[in-house]
Amino acid sequence: MKVGAVIITMGNRPGELRALLDSVAKQDGDPVEVVVVGNGSPVPEVPEGVRTVEVPENLGIPGGRNVGIEAFGPSGRDVDILLFLDDDGLLARHDTAELCREAFAADPELGIISFRIADPDTGETQRRHVPRLRASDPMRSSRVTTFLGGANAVRTRVFAEVGVLPDEFFYAHEETDLAWRALDAGWMIDYRSDMVLYHPTTAPSRHAVYHRMVARNRVWLARRNLPAPLVPVYLGVWLLLTLARRPSRPALKAWFGGFREGWSTPCGPRRPMRWRTVWRLTRLGRPPVI
């Protein structure tokens, strides 16, 4: 199976980007074809053979990754598998691409693989980087209902069948939107603890737009994908969880601003998942109300 990789960059981490590209070049098996997308900025110097695409403005995370997908042909059809890797990450092992090939070849229903993210110094995997509710054991691989945006592999047939990432999200929850559409189409998602991306431990709130985008996109996610009776349940649960975490006053103000924006602005096409998909998500341990 042919493997490609999409990396988006703001051009501000040239050293980390070069280290990541070196780790991709060292993968066992056939070479991984790489496209680096300069998301509103020039691409730093890259090794020979790495393709680059520069877009004049920052399209956000999903928009930038979609540019990378299309660099491999419509819906990425020139390759069978696409890796999506954060530009300050590093593949920990030389066999990750081969493990992806083996996993997708062995399971025709498998559409997406979520890698384990570990801190390069401590080896620790943050709970938020384990895409399931029972996240206490990051070394346990399992079927899951979503995936990590900066450390994953997608069978390109998924994009051809259900579409690419939602550009309008810009940042936050775009992976879950794609995951729900893929699951509704019959694809499965695996979390694999043996496929590791080293990445420094960070807090998502480091992004200035975090609280607004998380709230706005949560509403959009529900409006786009959930059966109508589940929309208020899902959003009500997340409202209570947000209040229980006792965010600061400015953070809460930004969150409620985003929540209102999610209701008052277009969310894109609405394609509610089937009730059998709701049951599938429930059996996988995460019903789409939390």
Side-chain angles (χ1 to χ4, degrees):
M1 303 181 79
K2 294 181 65 176
V3 180
V6 172
I7 301 164
I8 60 173
T9 183
M10 300 290 290
N12 56 349
R13 294 190 281 239
E16 292 91 336
L17 174 62
R18 185 59 181 253
L20 171 62
L21 292 172
D22 289 345
S23 73
V24 174
K26 292 175 182 176
Q27 292 299 299
D28 299 337
D30 292 338
V32 177
E33 185 179 347
V34 181
V35 169
V36 178
V37 178
N39 207 3
S41 65
V43 176
E45 184 179 352
V46 297
E48 185 177 353
V50 173
R51 287 193 289 155
T52 63
V53 180
E54 295 181 358
V55 293
E57 62 178 308
N58 182 358
L59 302 178
I61 293 173
R65 288 183 177 142
N66 287 341
V67 169
I69 294 169
E70 295 303 309
F72 289 94
S75 302
R77 67 184 182 189
D78 294 345
V79 294
D80 303 295
I81 302 164
L82 276 177
L83 311 180
F84 295 87
L85 307 169
D86 275 354
D87 69 341
D88 56 345
L90 184 75
L91 288 174
R93 297 169 44 157
H94 293 178
D95 62 350
T96 302
E98 280 289 87
L99 290 173
C100 287
R101 291 184 182 99
E102 292 169 5
F104 284 118
D107 186 353
E109 292 187 340
L110 181 61
I112 303 171
I113 299 173
S114 189
F115 298 171
R116 181 166 63 89
I117 294 179
D119 184 272
D121 297 322
T122 66
E124 178 186 358
T125 296
Q126 294 178 273
R127 286 183 67 94
R128 70 183 183 90
H129 285 152
V130 182
R132 59 174 179 247
L133 291 180
R134 296 185 179 93
S136 59
D137 182 8
M139 301 307 294
R140 179 172 68 87
S141 299
S142 68
R143 293 283 202 204
V144 290
T145 61
T146 189
F147 63 99
L148 306 174
N152 67 80
V154 181
R155 193 192 297 263
T156 53
R157 281 175 52 202
V158 173
F159 297 129
E161 187 169 339
V162 307
V164 293
L165 296 159
D167 284 351
E168 57 270 37
F169 278 42
F170 196 84
Y171 165 78
H173 302 319
E174 67 273 4
E175 303 92 350
T176 300
D177 187 88
L178 176 61
W180 283 0
R181 285 183 281 128
L183 288 162
D184 196 48
W187 295 102
M188 300 301 290
I189 306 170
D190 279 356
Y191 165 74
R192 288 281 298 263
S193 63
D194 57 337
M195 302 182 189
V196 182
L197 184 82
Y198 283 146
H199 188 282
T201 298
T202 56
S205 55
R206 70 191 185 279
H207 298 291
V209 297
Y210 171 77
H211 296 287
R212 180 175 71 86
M213 293 292 193
V214 161
R216 184 197 68 180
N217 292 359
R218 184 82 69 185
V219 177
W220 281 357
L221 180 69
R223 289 175 59 197
R224 287 164 59 97
N225 295 287
L226 290 181
L230 294 185
V231 173
V233 179
Y234 176 80
L235 295 176
V237 167
W238 279 104
L239 172 61
L240 293 175
L241 285 173
T242 299
L243 295 174
R245 291 167 179 165
R246 304 180 68 179
S248 67
R249 186 179 295 273
L252 195 59
K253 181 179 179 181
W255 193 93
F256 275 110
F259 194 82
R260 287 192 296 270
E261 186 181 349
W263 285 109
S264 62
T265 55
C267 64
R270 173 167 166 77
R271 298 187 181 95
M273 67 178 66
R274 292 166 290 187
W275 283 104
R276 71 181 185 185
T277 305
V278 173
W279 177 236
R280 170 184 280 191
L281 288 161
T282 303
R283 286 190 294 110
L284 288 170
R286 191 158 197 160
V289 293
I290 189 169

